[in-house]
Amino acid sequence: MSSNPTFSNYMPPLMAPRAQKWNFISLLFSLFYFLPAVMSMNSMVITDWVTILVGYAIFLGLYFWGLKSDTSNAIYPILAILLCCFVLTAFTPGSNALFGFAMFLAAYYFPFKKGVWLLVFAIVIEVLGFVYLRNYDTMFLGIAIFLSIALFINAAFVRKDLQHRLSEARDQEQIQQLATIAERERISRDLHDLLGHSLSSIALKAELAEKLIHAGQQDNAMKEISDVAQLSRSALSEVRESVSGLKKTGISAELNVMCERLRSAGFTAECENNLPVEHSLSPEIETTLILLLKEGSTNILRHSEGNRAHLTLDYQHSKIILNIWDNGNASHILEGNGISGMKDRCAQVGAEYQIQHGAEGTLISICKEFADQEA
């Protein structure tokens, strides 16, 4: 036996709380072991009773050993029970009531194919015992074989049911783990999108304030420093909203905010919102568009060498289209966390993501099929 069985073949001890326990009431059936002795009581002597009782006590110890075992070491109590029953057959035909308990353990702990081999081995032991030790006592032999097969089949169903429940529990754990990982990734993307834009704006304004101080323009520098403080407070508020999952501002307001931040960074920025008033976005779609808008604007602030930007939100042919354009000369674009994060967000809500760049600038387009049920 392998000391590290695979999950699909591993079975926990029958005494384990999460396993389906073999009801101890079943041991009442083992009392049939004493039936032949009771029926021939007149011919029994004290040594016969002592042998039968000691043998039964040994069987109980071995059986409880089997209940406390698992797949990695259950073979030992199973073989020990078979040996015990074989020896007891020499003293009483009632041993036929005990062979089946070994087969219950075998069918529970081992895969069907291996269990069948143990069943065949047990039947061979039973035949040898009742033929040679009991002088061809076929009636008791038939009962032993019948009980072994019946308990084997019963345990096979117990094993299958428990494996199904264990598999469901494992799948549920995996789902919870995946959900936890997805939530962590969502939070990391949110923080990247929210703080990326805010910190870029703060850095630009801080640099501008430093230049103004060196140029002796204290009043203008103080204004930029005041803007830095306001942006910091706004970033803190957005982080809190992201963690709590709440969005107090809609996409329209966010479009204006992004334009103002681009303008404050020196861009000539325009924004258009052509989404019909009668159409409202689902919270998931609106939150995703807001974060995509923030990330796209952050990329302009960080990487664009242009001076103009255009942000538009359109509704065409039952589709929502978000365009983020700037006139920076981007001959090539390297995909970093920002672009990959935007692609992931689009994939999560079933939106199409495209990016085009050339001499006229860079255009990011996000297109999402709009349905009334998303309203």
Side-chain angles (χ1 to χ4, degrees):
M1 288 292 298
S2 171
S3 60
N4 297 301
T6 62
F7 178 87
S8 60
N9 289 330
Y10 176 82
M11 296 300 292
L14 278 160
M15 295 286 281
R18 66 175 183 171
Q20 180 177 336
K21 297 178 182 178
W22 171 238
N23 196 329
F24 292 119
I25 296 177
S26 65
L27 283 175
L28 292 176
F29 293 101
S30 69
L31 296 179
F32 284 104
Y33 164 78
F34 296 101
L35 183 60
V38 172
M39 293 178 65
S40 58
M41 186 177 298
N42 294 333
S43 62
M44 298 284 290
V45 296
I46 188 66
T47 55
D48 294 331
W49 283 108
V50 170
T51 302
I52 291 173
L53 289 173
V54 170
Y56 185 72
I58 294 174
F59 160 76
L60 288 179
L62 295 175
Y63 182 65
F64 280 103
W65 177 22
L67 291 179
K68 295 179 181 179
S69 301
D70 60 17
T71 299
S72 63
N73 53 21
I75 188 66
Y76 305 115
I78 291 172
L79 293 178
I81 291 173
L82 291 176
L83 177 61
C84 175
C85 293
F86 177 79
V87 173
L88 287 176
T89 303
F91 300 95
T92 174
S95 63
N96 65 350
L98 306 182
F99 280 100
F101 289 89
M103 291 303 93
F104 181 87
L105 297 176
Y108 171 80
Y109 283 119
F110 300 116
F112 184 78
K113 185 175 181 180
K114 188 168 187 176
V116 167
W117 280 111
L118 285 172
L119 176 61
V120 171
F121 176 74
I123 292 175
V124 170
I125 294 294
E126 292 165 8
V127 170
L128 291 175
F130 284 92
V131 167
Y132 293 101
L133 300 181
R134 301 304 307 175
N135 193 24
Y136 293 91
D137 196 337
T138 55
M139 184 184 73
F140 284 98
L141 172 60
I143 294 174
I145 294 175
F146 171 78
L147 291 177
S148 295
I149 295 174
L151 289 175
F152 180 90
I153 294 174
N154 182 30
F157 282 109
V158 171
R159 173 187 172 89
K160 183 177 181 181
D161 177 69
L162 181 57
Q163 279 191 323
H164 177 70
R165 290 190 285 117
L166 292 175
S167 178
E168 285 185 339
R170 181 184 62 171
D171 291 343
Q172 185 61 34
E173 290 177 0
Q174 290 177 341
I175 290 172
Q176 292 176 351
Q177 290 175 353
L178 291 174
T180 301
I181 293 172
E183 182 64 12
R184 289 173 180 171
E185 292 178 348
R186 182 194 69 80
I187 292 174
S188 66
R189 284 195 301 268
D190 287 357
L191 292 177
H192 175 270
D193 294 346
L194 295 171
L195 292 182
H197 184 280
S198 299
L199 293 177
S200 295
S201 299
I202 290 172
L204 289 171
K205 284 188 169 293
E207 291 173 359
L208 179 57
E210 183 182 15
K211 293 177 181 178
L212 291 172
I213 290 173
H214 289 314
Q217 300 180 27
Q218 304 298 330
D219 292 340
N220 291 334
M222 288 299 296
K223 180 179 180 303
E224 296 300 328
I225 293 174
S226 176
D227 289 343
V228 168
Q230 179 59 37
L231 284 171
S232 300
R233 287 191 292 269
S234 177
L236 178 60
S237 176
E238 288 175 338
V239 169
R240 287 171 176 168
E241 290 176 359
S242 175
V243 172
S244 63
L246 300 176
K247 292 296 176 185
K248 297 181 180 178
T249 59
I251 184 65
S252 299
E254 199 63 40
L255 202 63
N256 294 326
V257 170
M258 292 300 103
C259 275
E260 288 301 322
R261 289 189 178 178
L262 288 169
R263 288 168 187 154
S264 66
F267 285 84
T268 300
E270 298 178 358
C271 65
E272 290 184 50
N273 181 7
N274 299 319
L275 185 65
V277 178
E278 64 270 17
H279 287 291
S280 60
L281 302 175
S282 68
E284 181 186 15
I285 298 298
E286 186 163 25
T287 299
T288 299
L289 289 175
I290 288 173
L291 293 172
L292 289 169
L293 181 62
K294 287 178 178 289
E295 180 59 37
S297 301
T298 298
N299 288 340
I300 293 176
L301 287 170
R302 286 178 175 176
H303 308 298
S304 176
E305 298 178 356
N307 57 7
R308 288 190 296 125
H310 195 184
L311 311 177
T312 63
L313 184 64
D314 285 331
Y315 177 73
Q316 300 176 3
H317 307 295
S318 299
K319 292 182 180 179
I320 300 171
I321 302 173
L322 174 64
N323 287 328
I324 304 171
W325 173 86
D326 71 280
N327 67 336
N329 184 13
S331 57
H332 66 281
I333 296 177
L334 297 177
E335 182 173 324
N337 290 333
I339 292 178
S340 63
M342 294 177 77
K343 287 182 177 179
D344 289 342
R345 289 189 186 281
C346 289
Q348 286 180 350
V349 297
E352 297 178 7
Y353 175 92
Q354 289 185 344
I355 183 168
Q356 304 173 24
H357 53 87
E360 296 182 356
T362 302
L363 174 64
I364 295 175
S365 293
I366 292 99
C367 180
K368 173 69 175 74
E369 194 81 30
F370 185 78
D372 291 337
Q373 59 267 26
E374 291 178 318

